[in-house]
Amino acid sequence: AMRIGILGGTFNPIHTAHVQMARIARDEAALDLVLLIVSADPPHKRVEGEVPARERYRLTQLALVGEERIVPSDLEILRGGKSYMLLTLQELKERYPGAELSLIVGSDMLSDLPNWYHPEEVLALADVLCVPRIGRNENDGETAQMLTQRYHTSVRILSGKADMISSTDIRHRLLEGQSVDGLMPETVEQAIYEGGEYFPADVRRMQEQCRATLTPKRYTHVCGTMRAAAMLSALWKQDAKKARIAALLHDCAKCLDPLRQEVLSGDEMG
């Protein structure tokens, strides 16, 4: 039977540890396919910043380019309504008759499984693969034993561990202009900077003005400069928010016609 792993979440935004979890589960449990299912409307929490599901899905697509047997899924987005895992598993059972389904969770989510919507039905449809986090001890063995006894399901603690990275911390860093280098695939970081969804409203407004006046190539360059400014401001202990604005606006008039540039510069010597 085909073995399918399901890693669900808001992915707000997706980061390196999410990809690590998918790889670890795929390799240790010999999964034929791993689905990263992007929640549209999670029942247990609101999507911080109200970043649209389609944008979070797009970033997840970018993060998984080149990954073998790991793919993004917009199943819950297309279904609409609350993103209950029970409904998702039922739909996957219809799509993949005879497949063995496994939920991929981290240590924190493992202990929260009894609070899910109809956990007994969820765990009747799928077993559980737990990926621990580096530097974090959640008593996974005891939790696994409790779940096995209560729900008569299989819970396997995998040996591989994922980095301790938090989407909440990443969102805070992006809001404050701080660097997120190394916390997510580079393509995802660049896309986040170009989209601006995780930046303050005033920064997004300036970005849209720059996007309207710059060529696509120049705008991409500007966003790359913003990423560099975040790293350099930390290195030289400078104000990260001011560095971000300076980087964003450093080429703001680059693509205007020469006469317009002259008027804006205030140079009336000509």
Side-chain angles (χ1 to χ4, degrees), residues 24-71:
I24 290 168
R26 176 197 63 191
D27 297 342
E28 286 197 38
L31 300 176
D32 299 295
L33 178 66
V34 176
L35 300 174
L36 266 66
I37 299 182
V38 180
S39 297
D41 185 10
H44 58 292
K45 63 179 181 180
R46 62 184 288 270
V47 178
E48 291 293 332
E50 299 182 352
V51 179
R54 274 293 162 195
E55 175 63 10
R56 291 182 278 113
Y57 176 72
R58 182 180 76 90
L59 297 175
T60 303
Q61 286 181 303
L62 290 175
L64 299 180
V65 171
E67 294 289 338
E68 294 185 4
R69 307 196 312 279
I70 305 175
V71 299

Side-chain angles (χ1 to χ4, degrees), residues 257-268:
D257 65 82
L259 181 59
R260 179 64 173 160
Q261 291 186 38
E262 184 176 326
V263 171
L264 290 174
S265 70
D267 184 3
E268 301 178 357

Side-chain angles (χ1 to χ4, degrees), residues 137-195:
N137 183 5
E138 296 281 355
N139 298 318
D140 295 332
E142 294 179 13
T143 304
Q145 186 176 12
M146 177 273 291
L147 292 171
T148 300
Q149 293 174 348
R150 182 183 298 184
Y151 300 107
H152 308 289
T153 189
S154 170
V155 181
R156 179 179 170 188
I157 310 298
L158 303 179
S159 60
K161 295 185 177 183
D163 290 333
M164 191 60 212
I165 301 175
S166 162
S167 290
T168 301
D169 177 58
I170 289 175
R171 291 194 301 272
H172 174 75
R173 286 171 173 267
L174 290 168
L175 200 64
E176 296 297 314
Q178 299 169 3
S179 175
V180 294
D181 182 55
L183 299 179
M184 60 186 68
E186 187 175 349
T187 53
V188 175
E189 182 182 347
Q190 179 68 21
I192 283 176
Y193 269 80
E194 291 184 18

Side-chain angles (χ1 to χ4, degrees), residues 67-83:
E67 294 289 338
E68 294 185 4
R69 307 196 312 279
I70 305 175
V71 299
S73 170
D74 60 355
L75 182 153
E76 293 183 349
I77 299 174
L78 293 174
R79 188 175 68 230
K82 290 292 183 183
S83 301

